[in-house]
Amino acid sequence: MSGINIVSTGGYAPLLAVTNDDMSRIVDTNDEWIRTRTGISQRRMSNCEPTWYMGAMASKQAIERAGIDPKEIGLIISSTITNDFVTPSAACLIQRETGAVNAAAFDLGAACSGFVYAVDTACRFLATDDSLKYVLISANENLSYITNFTDRSSCVLFGDGAAAVILEKSDKLFTSWLGADGTGAKFLYAKNEYAHSPFTTEEHFTVDDQTDPEVKHRLLVQDGKEVYKFATKALPTAAKNAADKIGLDINDIDLFIPHQANIRIIETAAKNLGVSMDKFFTNIDMHGNTSSASIPIALNEAAEKGVLKRGMKVCLVGFGAGLTLGAAIIEY
Ligand code: ACO
């Protein structure tokens, strides 16, 4: 597969910062527990900014930094599990806001792996359509829409935010690998609530879908220990599988930008991969876990801080609900 160039990045963090002390006022927790178990000090939370709005703000910044005309964007992929609407997609609203009038637009849902899934998808579009010049990926998440703020073991983890990238075709190094394991769906899920037609006779769908039938709400349900076990294996598996596809030595990667789930997950996974934590960029302390937005938020921050430099080989690696996992190795 031919490669991609990240032309530019952009980001949007809601102004509202919620500290661990703030969390301790709503559930029985404390700053010390949260910091030592997760590495999180604070998270940004939407103060009613819609998901599409955060994505549009991040996208506008990426477009401005790329110095391109939004009319040159042929495709917008928005990664989200927290869209404001069942329909339209967040991608269509981002198209409206950015003036990317020539872009097709759709949402992609692969939870915390969503950004990596979107990069892989964008690369395939670019490789097969010569008329496509630029792809905009925006990952936007309002996890506060689905956080159970009475469950102390999960509500302290999540934050809101968005980040975007402009991609173009390139012959730079690129490889990616995606995976999924639907048998783990029960470990991390949020149900949808739908109306029933007047012709419905059954209370539940009769096929066992593994999720708890007693859970009536649409908030996140998580088996933290199972997710932890999965995540510490998924990161090295995805990174190695992507590297192996082009015979790349994992030690030749300059920087890893992993999904920011929990600092202990990243540390254990780095050890399992045999790579020093010095090569891992993390910003979970200030943002918490923003699902699919976490990798591009970190990518944008690494680029802004000059940690990520042109020519570096960078591994973007995600894992999350589904269960899903994936990695994309890119020359920046
Ligand atoms: N504050 C204080 N105490 C707490 C809190 C809290 N916020 N949450 C749980 N506890 C308590 C528990 O009740 C338990 O008390 P007990 O021993 O009296 O029963 C004790 O702390 C230990 O609980 P554990 O569940 O064993 O804590 P653990 O060390 O496993 O950490 C955590 C829990 C942080 C959720 C961990 O399992 C984890 O990070 N899992 C991965 C979850 C994750 O990353 N999810 C993100 C979504 S998916 C993704 O992004 C990949």
Side-chain angles (χ1 to χ4, degrees):
M1 189 154 57
S2 62
I4 50 168
N5 177 42
I6 300 175
V7 183
S8 65
T9 62
Y12 179 83
L15 285 182
L16 179 63
V18 176
T19 65
N20 292 343
D21 286 339
D22 294 330
M23 293 305 296
S24 72
R25 284 191 273 279
I26 61 158
V27 283
D28 181 13
T29 189
N30 57 73
D31 177 57
E32 206 257 332
W33 194 97
I34 301 171
R35 268 191 299 103
T36 52
R37 301 290 177 119
T38 72
I40 299 167
S41 302
Q42 66 159 52
R43 69 290 291 145
R44 297 296 189 88
M45 242 173 240
S46 156
N47 199 355
C48 278
E49 294 109 310
T51 304
W52 64 262
Y53 173 83
M54 297 197 295
M57 296 299 280
S59 299
K60 281 182 184 180
Q61 188 176 57
I63 292 168
E64 198 181 299
R65 286 178 175 171
I68 63 168
D69 183 339
K71 293 189 184 72
E72 294 178 288
I73 297 168
L75 176 65
I76 299 174
I77 305 174
S78 156
S79 169
T80 186
I81 53 165
T82 50
N83 191 19
D84 307 284
F85 300 98
V86 173
T87 193
S89 65
C92 281
L93 300 179
I94 292 167
Q95 192 238 30
R96 180 188 71 186
E97 295 301 306
T98 53
V101 292
N102 295 314
F106 66 86
D107 282 1
L108 181 154
C112 307
S113 312
F115 183 72
V116 175
Y117 267 63
V119 168
D120 178 280
T121 305
C123 188
R124 291 170 197 276
F125 268 89
L126 284 162
T128 55
D129 183 350
D130 285 341
S131 69
L132 187 57
K133 196 164 177 193
Y134 298 114
V135 177
L136 165 66
I137 299 176
S138 181
N140 357 270
E141 301 285 8
N142 251 323
L143 289 186
S144 54
Y145 283 174
I146 56 170
T147 298
N148 182 349
F149 285 101
T150 63
D151 174 13
R152 67 175 180 171
S153 65
S154 64
C155 72
V156 298
L157 301 173
F158 302 116
D160 301 331
V165 294
I166 301 283
L167 302 180
E168 66 182 355
K169 208 183 322 239
S170 139
D171 54 11
K172 286 180 178 181
L173 171 140
F174 178 83
T175 176
S176 61
W177 178 90
L178 306 178
D181 174 11
T183 64
K186 61 191 169 195
F187 298 137
L188 188 60
Y189 62 89
K191 290 183 172 177
N192 264 326
E193 272 176 332
Y194 291 121
H196 289 291
S197 85
F199 306 105
T200 307
T201 56
E202 300 290 330
E203 204 176 324
H204 301 293
F205 189 52
T206 44
V207 174
D208 176 15
D209 69 356
Q210 294 190 321
T211 60
D212 186 346
E214 294 308 313
V215 174
K216 304 288 184 206
H217 56 69
R218 47 174 291 284
L219 304 176
L220 264 175
V221 178
Q222 164 180 283
D223 182 332
K225 281 194 173 36
E226 288 295 337
V227 173
Y228 192 95
K229 272 195 278 178
F230 158 72
T232 50
K233 287 191 196 125
L235 189 159
T237 300
K240 270 194 204 135
N241 286 351
D244 285 352
K245 275 172 89 171
I246 55 164
L248 183 73
D249 186 335
I250 214 80
N251 294 305
D252 288 339
I253 294 169
D254 301 300
L255 191 66
F256 289 80
I257 301 186
H259 168 48
Q260 309 285 311
N262 175 329
I263 198 71
R264 289 191 307 152
I265 289 178
I266 298 172
E267 285 167 355
T268 308
K271 213 165 149 194
N272 291 345
L273 189 60
V275 174
S276 154
M277 266 303 280
D278 298 345
K279 282 194 173 182
F280 279 73
F281 184 84
T282 63
N283 63 359
I284 189 168
D285 55 329
M286 300 308 277
H287 292 275
N289 178 344
T290 55
S291 191
S292 76
S294 88
I295 293 175
I297 288 174
L299 177 75
N300 182 45
E301 202 172 304
E304 283 177 346
K305 287 186 168 159
V307 177
L308 179 60
K309 297 184 184 67
R310 288 287 170 189
M312 273 184 161
K313 292 185 195 72
V314 54
C315 177
L316 312 173
V317 54
F319 40 90
L323 302 166
T324 57
L325 63 162
I329 301 170
I330 293 167
E331 185 183 328
Y332 183 63

